[in-house]
């Protein structure tokens, strides 16, 4: 299908692969999600609207993969897809918790635009981090694993089931995307359809975790022991894509460039310029993501006060920005250290 419809990623100066690669990973994950959700879940209004919105988003992503849609048009399409669940299903972030120890911060009339912004930001964050084999799949699996664990901790079965479906769907994609030394397989990429689907689904599930009242009609969630996840806890599930996106956007704006202009300044590019291979960069970034997830889950399990959790997250983000600011000093030190070891 990919070859017949020209849905392939062609090599260029910004890309590592040397031959065209089919962009069907996102379509495969979407197909799995649709089949499993329709078969398992009660098709209530909120779930139906999510499936409609995600279908529209996958279509736009596939068209972008095929025709390279203008960034402005893609942004409008993302807003429309987000609006389906925000306005249609009333899935919105109404508060952001007690971040400063002064009480729960209610968003009031800002809740809908804030939710739209979060959904669009997540779609673009996962789209931007999809730069080397396996990275998008790994970051998605970290997020869906974290969602599953938080859902178990708070007895929320609907996000648990959906996150488990998506986690499982990522496994055969990673097999195709990374390949195996013992048995060669045809490589595929996720494409914009997959990266935007991942971001869209992640935020939808995170809103349900923090605002379970939006899905209480479902028979999965009609439990007296159900509780909500604190909003600050969900930041740790998407910490790496989120930090990478904000860092790269701020650098582009400071250089006077368009924030949507592609470049090779992402975290994985920096690791590779430091002398690491793509697989090594994937391994390191995945370990970082899992470590942040583990820290976030631990803080949530022990109910550490939200201002402290936010302070730790901000501190790690500041350290990340400082590392990027001095990255060439770090790269130079790594190269010198490697040269000394090689000489010895």
């Amino acid at each position: 299908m990919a070859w017949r419809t020209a849905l392939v990623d062609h090599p260029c100066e910004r890309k590592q692969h040397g031959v065209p690669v089919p962009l069907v990973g996102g379509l495969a994950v979407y197909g799995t999600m649709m089949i499993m959700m329709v078969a398992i879940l009660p098709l209530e209004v909120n779930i139906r609207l999510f499936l409609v919105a995600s279908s529209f988003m996958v279509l736009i992503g596939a068209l972008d993969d095929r025709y390279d849609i203008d960034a402005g048009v893609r942004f409008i399409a993302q807003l429309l897809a987000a609006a389906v669940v925000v306005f249609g299903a009333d899935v919105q972030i109404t508060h952001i918790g007690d971040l400063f120890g002064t009480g729960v911060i209610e968003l009031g009339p800002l809740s809908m635009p804030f939710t739209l912004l979060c959904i669009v930001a997540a779609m673009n964050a996962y789209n931007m981090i999809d730069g080397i084999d396996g990275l998008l799949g790994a970051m998605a699996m970290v997020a869906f694993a974290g969602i599953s664990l938080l859902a178990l901790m708070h007895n929320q079965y609907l996000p648990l089931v959906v996150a488990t479906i998506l986690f499982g769907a990522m496994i055969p994609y990673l097999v195709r995307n990374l390949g195996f030394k013992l048995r060669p397989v045809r490589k595929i990429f996720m494409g914009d359809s997959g990266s935007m689907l991942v971001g869209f689904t992640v935020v939808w599930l995170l809103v349900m975790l923090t605002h379970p009242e939006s899905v209480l009609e479902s028979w999965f969630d009609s439990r007296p022991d159900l509780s909500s996840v604190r909003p600050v806890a969900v930041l740790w599930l998407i910490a790496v894509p989120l930090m990478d996106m904000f860092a790269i956007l701020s650098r582009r704006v400071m250089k006077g460039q368009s924030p949507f202009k592609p470049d090779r300044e992402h975290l994985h590019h920096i690791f590779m310029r430091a002398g690491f291979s793509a697989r090594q960069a994937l391994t390191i970034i995945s370990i970082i993501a899992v470590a942040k997830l583990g820290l976030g889950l631990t803080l949530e399990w022990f109910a550490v006060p939200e201002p402290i959790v936010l302070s730790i997250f901000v501190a790690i983000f500041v350290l990340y920005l400082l590392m990027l600011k001095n990255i060439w000093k770090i790269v130079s030190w790594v190269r010198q250290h490697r040269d000394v070891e090689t000489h010895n």
Side-chain angles (χ1 to χ4, degrees):
M1 183 196 71
W3 294 109
R4 287 197 301 268
T5 60
L7 197 60
V8 295
D9 191 20
H10 294 279
C12 68
E13 65 275 4
R14 292 190 299 105
K15 300 177 180 179
Q16 302 288 324
H17 57 284
V19 296
V21 178
L23 292 163
V24 295
L27 297 179
V29 171
Y30 163 76
T32 301
M33 183 190 75
M34 286 290 290
I35 293 170
M36 296 298 293
M37 288 185 67
V38 170
I40 296 176
L41 300 178
L43 295 182
E44 296 176 356
V45 173
N46 59 339
I47 296 177
R48 291 201 303 268
L49 288 174
F50 166 75
L51 294 177
V52 169
S54 59
S55 299
F56 174 69
M57 201 66 263
V58 168
L59 173 62
I60 295 299
L63 291 175
D64 190 27
D65 289 331
R66 175 64 179 83
Y67 298 106
D68 195 16
I69 296 175
D70 179 76
V73 175
R74 185 172 65 244
F75 178 75
I76 293 173
Q78 291 172 342
L79 280 177
L80 290 175
V84 171
V85 295
V86 172
F87 296 102
D90 198 29
V91 174
Q92 54 182 297
I93 303 170
T94 59
H95 66 86
I96 54 176
D98 183 15
L99 297 181
F100 306 106
T102 57
V104 175
I105 302 174
E106 299 287 346
L107 295 179
L110 296 177
S111 60
M112 286 188 174
F114 182 76
T115 307
L116 289 173
L117 178 64
C118 289
I119 294 175
V120 172
M123 284 192 280
N124 285 284
Y126 281 98
N127 181 264
M128 293 171 69
I129 206 169
D130 186 19
I132 57 175
D133 289 347
L135 186 54
L136 174 60
M139 295 301 100
M141 292 182 77
V142 168
F144 291 129
I147 291 169
S148 297
L149 292 171
L150 283 176
L152 276 175
M153 288 167 57
H154 293 269
N155 296 299
Q156 297 191 36
Y157 288 167
L158 178 55
L160 170 62
V161 171
V162 177
T164 303
I165 290 172
L166 270 296
F167 182 90
M170 288 294 161
I171 297 173
Y173 163 70
L174 280 177
V175 171
R176 286 289 187 185
N177 187 229
L178 290 172
F180 285 104
K181 293 181 179 180
L182 298 179
R183 184 173 180 271
V185 296
R186 293 180 181 178
K187 180 183 288 292
I188 63 172
F189 288 159
M190 185 69 80
D192 288 346
S193 60
S195 59
M196 289 192 287
L197 174 66
V198 168
F200 184 65
T201 308
V202 165
V203 175
W204 181 65
L205 293 172
L206 294 183
V207 173
M208 283 196 292
L209 286 175
T210 55
H211 298 73
E213 63 276 5
S214 62
V215 291
L216 280 176
E217 294 179 0
S218 169
W219 62 270
F220 275 99
D221 292 286
S222 57
R223 295 174 57 91
D225 55 350
L226 178 145
S227 58
S228 61
V229 178
R230 297 180 303 174
V232 71
V234 304
L235 292 174
W236 300 97
L237 279 63
I238 57 174
V240 171
L242 199 63
M243 290 182 181
D244 185 62
M245 181 188 69
F246 279 116
I248 198 71
L249 289 180
S250 62
R251 289 203 302 272
R252 289 174 185 173
V253 171
M254 290 175 64
K255 292 179 181 179
Q257 300 174 345
S258 167
F260 303 105
K261 179 184 177 181
D263 56 29
R264 296 181 62 81
E265 298 295 330
H266 291 278
L267 185 60
H268 51 274
H269 293 134
I270 294 171
F271 274 114
M272 293 174 69
R273 284 205 297 273
F276 296 97
S277 67
R279 291 294 176 91
Q280 289 172 333
L282 169 63
T283 302
I284 295 171
I285 297 173
S286 298
I287 291 173
I288 293 172
V290 172
K292 290 180 178 179
L293 172 63
L295 175 60
L297 292 175
T298 302
L299 295 173
E300 178 69 5
W301 177 261
F302 289 103
V304 175
E306 292 172 76
I308 297 177
V309 177
L310 179 63
S311 299
I312 295 173
F313 187 87
V314 171
I316 292 176
F317 187 37
V318 170
L319 288 175
Y320 174 75
L321 293 177
L322 290 175
M323 182 198 74
L324 292 181
K325 184 178 180 181
N326 299 280
I327 192 62
W328 295 117
K329 295 180 182 178
I330 299 173
V331 169
S332 177
W333 180 86
V334 170
R335 287 175 175 171
Q336 292 176 3
H337 185 69
R338 285 190 169 190
D339 290 343
V340 170
E341 286 187 345
T342 303
H343 179 72
N344 292 335

